[in-house]
Amino acid sequence: LLWHFKDQMKSETINIATGANFPDALTAAPLSIQNKAPLILLGSGLYKNIESFLFQYTEENLIKRINVIGGPVAVPDSLEAMMVNKAK
């Protein structure tokens, strides 16, 4: 879905949440829609399709903020750091 709606999302923000805990994703969905920002649902790691999306999206958009929905309990700091590095 990220690739399908990529051209409609033009934001300086990326929202990330765990795909394992649906309340976090449900809470983040309206925020993502309001900001026209992608909502990336993560599993236990950063998968290649998400890496390639981040690479292309950050080439086209200046990312100034990454929101972690659910905090470090939902998205470990190490995974957040990987996302920040990929978004640069």
Side-chain angles (χ1 to χ4, degrees), residues 44-88:
S44 59
L46 190 58
Y47 302 111
K48 291 291 180 192
N49 61 338
I50 294 174
E51 285 187 46
S52 60
F53 173 82
L54 282 173
F55 178 76
Q56 185 171 351
Y57 190 79
T58 56
E59 288 288 313
E60 299 170 2
N61 300 280
L62 176 63
I63 304 303
K64 294 182 178 177
R65 181 182 180 126
I66 295 181
N67 294 322
V68 179
I69 311 303
V73 172
V75 179
D77 290 335
S78 59
L79 198 50
E80 179 185 0
M82 287 173 36
M83 290 285 294
V84 169
N85 288 334
K86 297 290 181 184
K88 289 183 180 179

Side-chain angles (χ1 to χ4, degrees), residues 10-11 13 15 27-37:
K10 298 296 180 191
S11 180
T13 301
N15 297 316
T27 302
L31 175 67
S32 294
I33 292 168
Q34 179 182 9
N35 296 325
K36 295 185 179 183

